[in-house]
Amino acid sequence: MLLAVLTFQPTVPVYAACRAWRAATDVNGIQIGMNGTGRAILGRWDAPDYPRPESDEPSAEPTFVRFATRDGREELRLVHYPGAVVDDYDALEVRRPAGGTSPGKRLPFAQFATERGIRLGMTERDLVALLGACFTRERKGDAALLTYRIADKAHPALKRSGMPAYEATYEFRNGLLARFALGFEMP
């Protein structure tokens, strides 16, 4: 499911009249689209304890590295696109790990949160208050998915990163945020 979200193939139309301007681009100081910004938090990519790249499918691109909160109950996947600088991540996903705890490298955080305060367990109302009402909604089984997309080249996040588009998907189960994935579209 991670790769489906990160390939940015919307399943519902995005209306041109709606302009999303409040993009979340950072989790606990690790900023997507900016080469090496998380190095002080994550460590060096060539250090022995740095996570090795993984993929949801053998030999698939893009790859990701996995980190966890200090108790392992939340997982952060930083996605690396083919051809990008080695410690440059253009997308990320935050979720509860399968099996209860993540095998990812532990970071000193109790919870993963964006610079806007988006975190697992928040309500849809709280998310919309932070990001605005410019989203599409989809039902997928017992989950509600809210997707924000930015393709306006004048948006500061796209100008700064040089990327063609940005998309964020927020998955709610039982009224609470259970997973989110955000990032830039692969050029």
Side-chain angles (χ1 to χ4, degrees):
M1 181 163 190
L2 171 70
L3 293 177
V5 170
L6 296 176
T7 57
F8 303 103
Q9 298 172 359
T11 56
V12 291
V14 178
Y15 300 100
C18 189
R19 294 179 67 189
W21 284 97
R22 298 183 203 143
T25 58
D26 160 316
V27 168
N28 295 73
I30 304 159
Q31 190 171 20
I32 60 170
M34 300 301 286
N35 183 23
T37 59
R39 200 172 292 141
I41 298 164
L42 304 173
R44 290 188 49 85
W45 67 270
D46 56 354
D49 67 337
Y50 200 84
R52 296 296 135 223
E54 302 177 50
S55 177
D56 285 329
E57 299 175 25
S59 302
E61 294 285 347
T63 59
F64 62 87
V65 289
R66 188 188 317 241
F67 295 90
T69 52
R70 66 177 167 243
D71 65 4
R73 293 179 189 241
E74 290 185 15
E75 184 171 272
L76 168 65
R77 290 181 175 198
L78 296 173
V79 181
H80 182 264
Y81 290 159
V85 175
V86 73
D87 63 350
D88 187 16
Y89 303 103
D90 289 310
L92 62 83
E93 178 184 26
V94 174
R95 65 187 197 166
R96 303 254 185 244
T101 58
S102 174
K105 178 183 175 180
R106 303 289 170 99
L107 297 176
F109 305 113
Q111 188 172 38
F112 291 122
T114 72
E115 75 277 18
R116 298 199 172 279
I118 299 165
R119 66 195 182 298
L120 298 182
M122 69 188 305
T123 66
E124 183 177 323
R125 176 182 281 174
D126 290 339
L127 177 83
V128 173
L130 291 171
L131 297 180
C134 189
F135 59 84
T136 58
R137 181 188 309 273
E138 174 187 5
R139 289 290 294 161
K140 191 169 186 179
D142 65 345
L145 302 175
L146 274 60
T147 301
Y148 290 81
R149 181 170 171 76
I150 298 171
D152 183 343
K153 302 288 186 231
H155 189 279
L158 296 182
K159 286 172 76 173
R160 181 181 67 243
S161 68
M163 298 299 258
Y166 164 92
E167 188 169 290
T169 301
Y170 301 93
E171 180 179 321
F172 290 87
R173 294 184 181 275
N174 300 318
L176 300 176
L177 186 59
R179 184 188 72 79
F180 62 92
L182 54 92
F184 297 108
E185 184 176 279
M186 253 191 291

